[in-house]
Amino acid sequence: MTGTRDQPTGAGAGAERLRRLFRFFGATQARGRSPVYEALSEGVARDDGLLALLLDTPETQRRPALLFAAVNLLLASRRDTELAAYYPIHGGRRGVDDRLVPAFSAFCAPHRGELTRLLARRSTQTNEIRRCVALRLGVEHVQRHWPGPVALVEVGASAGLNLLFDRYDYRLDGTAREVPPGAHASPVVVSTDVRGASGAELLGAPPTITRRLGVDRHPVDLSDPDARAWLEAFVWPEQTAELATLRGAVALARTVGNAPVVTGDAVTDTARTLAGLPGGEPVVVFTASLLSYLTAEARTAFVAQLEEAARARPVAWVFAEGPGLLATTPLDLPALRGPLARRNSLYAVGTALRGAGPNHDRLLGLADPYLRWISPARGEADDFEWVPAG
């Protein structure tokens, strides 16, 4: 089958898909967050040679974040290069200019073999500590319905650092640092802006966590220096504070003992994993950006796994996911039948309760995907049209 001028096929079609993907990434993820990655996203989209790095990999690996992380990993040990000058996390101080994209291309050329191997074999691994704010908000809502201790499972847990959410301190909207009652100050402080409400009383005291477990297709072994370096590679060029927070969370986990993270698939192993937990207390299942890695059919299957597990004990799904992706699941969230479902540059934070009385689904907030800010819901039927698009 041959393609027309307007409908390329084969490698040409793959390149066009990648161009759109990089431009979407730059416009919706990097804009306002990383001038370096915003400029590089457009630069890669225009460069067939750079696109070819990803076209040589399996289709599931063709992600902008994976290419940028692979380059960042190599750059960490090559700080004397021109490209490193644009990365504050590597000591760079140079602002974005017309030399950035050529410097990126010049860096990739001699390292093409290393980059190709990384892109083919490594998986996306992020452990965004700020997403613990979504988990805290969701757990607070669960506690109103099901008071008492809970078990905690994160699906797509990476290194499992979010499972220690109750060991971190929080500073919301410039309020005083919150230290849990009876606890010492944590070396990890999670800071998030609150828009449209006050952050002073947004989060209640965390409940007792009876057990913690992570599930991931490729768990990160925090005892492995190479695995820790790959995790750090997903920190963006300007995010010096985020890098410090990640390193603090890793150090804390290695000191107090990280929660176990087992190898498993969200679509096929979730129900079995939950069934294997001892006790009968409710289980809070947390996901953040998991649905973006699943097909529409797989998203439905994942929710079915939660409902299967809820036949044996109460299960609460706490999520921070794209509204349009949530709209493809069986959740009963009327707000997602309107314009909110098209706002995939932001994340919906909410809960779905199963197994103890009627199903209860609720959107709790709309947030930046990396929880730099959150706008709490103004009521059960809030469609968040009042939240600015920027």
Side-chain angles (χ1 to χ4, degrees), residues 54-296:
L54 284 169
L55 288 173
D56 290 339
T57 67
E59 190 167 350
T60 55
Q61 298 290 93
R62 298 175 187 175
R63 293 175 173 270
L66 198 59
L67 173 61
F68 292 148
V71 171
N72 198 13
L73 179 71
L74 301 185
L75 200 60
S77 60
R78 297 163 175 85
R79 300 189 178 195
D80 57 345
T81 61
E82 182 183 9
L83 182 60
Y86 294 94
Y87 284 60
I89 58 172
H90 300 314
R93 296 183 179 181
R94 186 169 178 172
V96 171
D97 57 26
D98 58 5
R99 282 295 308 161
L100 171 58
V101 175
F104 186 84
S105 182
F107 182 87
C108 290
H111 300 107
R112 189 179 189 91
E114 290 175 274
L115 290 171
T116 299
R117 287 190 291 274
L118 286 169
L119 292 170
R121 300 172 186 174
R122 295 293 188 102
S123 62
T124 303
Q125 286 292 4
T126 60
N127 212 138
E128 178 53 64
I129 308 301
R130 274 202 184 105
R131 288 173 174 161
C132 288
V133 173
L135 177 55
R136 280 285 303 267
L137 185 62
V139 168
E140 166 74 7
H141 184 75
V142 172
Q143 285 284 284
R144 295 193 196 107
H145 292 263
W146 302 337
V150 298
L152 176 62
V153 174
E154 183 177 10
V155 180
S158 187
L161 297 175
N162 290 345
L163 293 165
L164 298 177
F165 78 106
D166 55 333
R167 295 181 181 267
Y168 305 150
D169 296 343
Y170 293 80
R171 181 181 287 121
L172 303 186
D173 202 24
T175 59
R177 177 176 179 176
E178 178 207 328
V179 179
H184 298 291
S186 172
V188 179
V189 181
V190 183
S191 299
T192 299
D193 290 334
V194 179
R195 298 182 178 180
S198 169
E201 298 180 358
L202 186 62
L203 305 180
T208 298
I209 309 297
T210 57
R211 51 192 52 83
R212 307 164 199 257
L213 180 67
V215 181
D216 198 279
R217 293 184 68 184
H218 304 283
V220 175
D221 180 3
L222 291 178
S223 68
D224 181 354
D226 289 339
R228 297 198 301 271
W230 182 241
L231 195 61
E232 289 189 4
F234 285 88
V235 177
W236 291 16
E238 300 86 355
Q239 294 182 329
T240 54
E242 285 81 352
L243 180 59
T245 299
L246 175 63
R247 288 175 173 171
V250 169
L252 179 64
R254 298 186 72 197
T255 299
V256 304
N258 197 28
V261 181
V262 299
T263 302
D265 185 275
V267 176
T268 59
D269 298 326
T270 297
R272 176 182 55 79
T273 300
L274 299 187
L277 294 174
E281 70 275 20
V283 180
V284 172
V285 177
F286 180 53
T287 72
S289 206
L290 173 72
L291 299 188
S292 64
Y293 294 90
L294 304 180
T295 64

